[in-house]
Amino acid sequence: MKIATEKGIESQLKGFEKTRMLAVGSKVKAKDRVFIFVHGFNAPSDEVNESYEYMRKLLKLNPNKDEVVKFYWDGLHTTNPFGGAKVWFSATSFSQMAGEFGLRNLLNSISNKKIILISHSRGASVVLSALSSATFSESFAKGTLENHNVDVDAAKKLAENGNDITCIMLAPAIGLDDFKIRDVTSGTDSFCTLSKQVKKSISRSTIPMSC
């Protein structure tokens, strides 16, 4: 969005995204189930791809009825053995952005399907942020608007499209704050409400994966 704004092609970027989402909706229209894989933070693309392919092989897929969508977000990979902590603090907000502006748009393009969201580590935050409303700090929101021309409060709402959503979270790197929404006016917290499309949530804390 930053580059698009600088080049004056914001509308083209948004148009491209809309076209791609329509293409996804069209591709899964005849399918019964849609599996969406969401990786965690500090994850290089080659390891993510390897894990995604491994997961695909474990699933008993019917090519006529099932579709797999590999979702990627900037997990802020670093090769510095001491840089993981620094990456983590950035990934906490970026994962929420990926959920609100990425995964949510993807879910909004799908209707009346059984959707199985399989996430690992901080990918669970991506999923939660897509299904509810994340809260960003004032400094992060201001910096994102000034530096990237993205208003974190302008994300589209999750459409109630009649989907049946199951969330499977492997070693979820989330905490109590991921389930809260802060009222910026009163400064008070309340627990977020997930979409009524969410029918089941499964968490496993000891499953090893490379992403």
Side-chain angles (χ1 to χ4, degrees):
M1 182 57 72
K2 177 183 179 181
I3 295 173
T5 302
E6 292 172 347
K7 293 183 176 295
I9 55 172
E10 273 184 85
S11 59
Q12 288 96 315
L13 177 61
K14 292 179 180 179
F16 173 80
E17 181 183 39
K18 183 178 180 179
T19 299
R20 295 305 303 157
M21 292 301 98
L22 288 172
V24 170
S26 177
K27 186 175 183 180
V28 305
K29 190 174 183 180
K31 303 298 176 75
D32 294 332
R33 299 190 300 177
V34 181
F35 293 84
I36 303 177
F37 300 158
V38 186
H39 64 80
F41 86 109
N42 198 10
S45 60
D46 56 342
E47 291 185 10
V48 170
N49 288 328
E50 183 178 347
S51 293
Y52 280 177
E53 284 305 311
Y54 177 70
M55 290 166 62
R56 178 196 283 271
K57 291 177 181 178
L58 290 177
L59 296 172
K60 295 181 179 179
L61 298 173
N62 182 328
N64 296 317
K65 296 183 178 181
D66 299 325
E67 186 69 43
V68 172
V69 178
K70 300 175 182 179
F71 184 88
Y72 298 85
W73 61 284
D74 188 354
L76 304 172
H77 172 60
T78 177
T79 57
N80 185 335
F82 303 104
K86 183 177 181 180
V87 166
W88 165 254
F89 288 113
S90 297
T92 54
S93 294
F94 289 169
S95 61
Q96 294 174 319
M97 293 278 288
E100 281 208 51
F101 290 92
L103 183 56
R104 186 181 297 172
N105 284 348
L106 178 63
L107 294 175
N108 282 347
S109 70
I110 304 172
S111 302
N112 303 309
K113 303 298 177 188
K114 184 173 180 60
I115 299 176
I116 300 91
L117 290 161
I118 305 178
S119 64
H120 176 248
S121 183
R122 193 60 188 172
S125 171
V126 178
V127 171
L128 287 174
S129 297
L131 299 175
S132 60
S133 296
T135 301
F136 301 95
S137 68
E138 184 177 346
S139 60
F140 181 85
K142 181 179 179 181
T144 302
L145 182 60
E146 292 178 351
N147 299 322
H148 303 288
N149 195 36
V150 174
D151 183 353
V152 297
D153 295 319
K156 295 179 181 178
K157 299 295 184 181
L158 180 67
E160 296 294 339
N161 285 342
N163 293 307
D164 183 320
I165 299 176
T166 294
C167 301
I168 301 175
M169 300 177 180
L170 309 178
I174 52 177
L176 188 60
D177 287 343
D178 291 287
F179 294 91
K180 289 184 175 181
I181 298 175
R182 174 168 288 273
D183 186 317
V184 294
T185 302
S186 64
T188 57
D189 291 333
S190 61
F191 284 104
C192 64
T193 301
L194 298 179
S195 165
K196 63 182 182 181
Q197 297 171 103
V198 180
K199 306 301 182 182
K200 186 185 297 184
S201 179
I202 302 169
S203 176
R204 292 291 183 269
S205 61
T206 58
I207 296 182
M209 290 180 64
S210 61
C211 63

